[in-house]
Amino acid sequence: MTRPVKIDKRELQREFNNSTCTLRELASQTGASYSLITKLASSEKWIEQRKEHQEQAAKLRVMDLPVSTCTPHQHVERSLMTGEQIRQLLIEATAAIRSGDVRSLKTLVDAWASWDNQMRKTHKLDEQNTKAQINVALLSSLPDTPNYINANPP
C-alpha cells in the first residue's frame, strides 16, 4: 500500500484563487484528488473567495493608474501603462473564456467598467455628453454560457 501524499490545503486554495482554472484542472495539476478539492472548496467557499480576490485585484489594477501628468513624456508613459493594463485585462478575459469561467469574465468586465468610469471622470467626458468608446453595457450583458466561443484559439 502506498503512502498518502501530503497536501497543503492553503497552497491549493492560493493556487485556485490566483488562477482561472477549474477544480478538476487544479486536481490534475497538483495531484490532489478531485473529491478532496471539491469538499474543501465547498466547505471553505473557495468560489466566493476567489471572486472577491479577483475583484479586489482588478480594482487595485484600475486604481493604480496615475491621474495627473505634467509633461508630454509623462502623458505618453501613462498611456503606455494604461494600454498594458487593458492588454492584461484582455488576456485574463481570454483565459477565462477558454476555461469557461464566466464569473472571472464578468469580474474582468466589471474591472473594465470601473476603469472606463474612472477615465470618464478624470477627463470630464460625461460633461461633454460623449458616448463611451466601448459599450460596457453590451460587454456586461454577455450570456453566461460561452457556447459561441471557439475553445481552441487560432
Side-chain angles (χ1 to χ4, degrees):
M1 190 170 201
T2 61
R3 186 177 204 161
V5 178
K6 290 188 177 184
I7 303 292
D8 182 2
K9 296 175 186 177
R10 294 297 122 212
E11 181 63 26
L12 284 175
Q13 184 177 10
R14 189 186 64 72
E15 179 69 30
F16 182 72
N17 282 346
N18 293 326
S19 70
T20 58
C21 69
T22 63
L23 294 174
R24 191 169 301 281
E25 290 170 346
L26 181 65
S28 67
Q29 291 171 1
T30 61
S33 73
Y34 177 67
S35 62
L36 171 69
I37 289 180
T38 56
K39 286 176 187 175
L40 288 171
S42 176
S43 66
E44 298 178 7
K45 301 184 185 328
W46 284 9
I47 304 286
E48 293 85 1
Q49 290 176 11
R50 174 161 76 173
K51 181 179 178 186
E52 290 173 14
H53 174 77
Q54 289 178 342
E55 284 175 358
Q56 289 173 348
K59 285 179 183 176
L60 288 174
R61 281 194 305 270
V62 168
M63 297 311 238
D64 194 29
L65 295 172
V67 176
S68 64
T69 62
C70 297
T71 66
H73 178 72
Q74 289 173 332
H75 177 72
V76 169
E77 287 298 317
R78 186 178 75 191
S79 296
L80 290 173
M81 189 172 70
T82 301
E84 182 57 33
Q85 290 178 339
I86 292 170
R87 179 181 164 276
Q88 188 61 37
L89 279 174
L90 292 173
I91 288 170
E92 291 176 21
T94 303
I97 290 169
R98 284 188 188 136
S99 68
D101 189 356
V102 177
R103 288 183 178 147
S104 292
L105 181 58
K106 286 188 175 191
T107 299
L108 293 165
V109 168
D110 290 342
W112 183 284
S114 296
W115 175 82
D116 183 59
N117 287 336
Q118 180 183 4
M119 287 292 126
R120 294 173 75 66
K121 287 177 187 173
T122 300
H123 299 290
K124 299 179 177 139
L125 294 177
D126 289 330
E127 295 171 7
Q128 299 170 4
N129 293 325
T130 59
K131 292 184 178 181
Q133 298 300 314
I134 308 272
N135 188 342
V136 177
L138 175 66
L139 288 175
S140 63
S141 68
L142 290 173
D144 287 344
T145 54
N147 298 1
Y148 56 88
I149 297 170
N150 182 4
N152 299 323

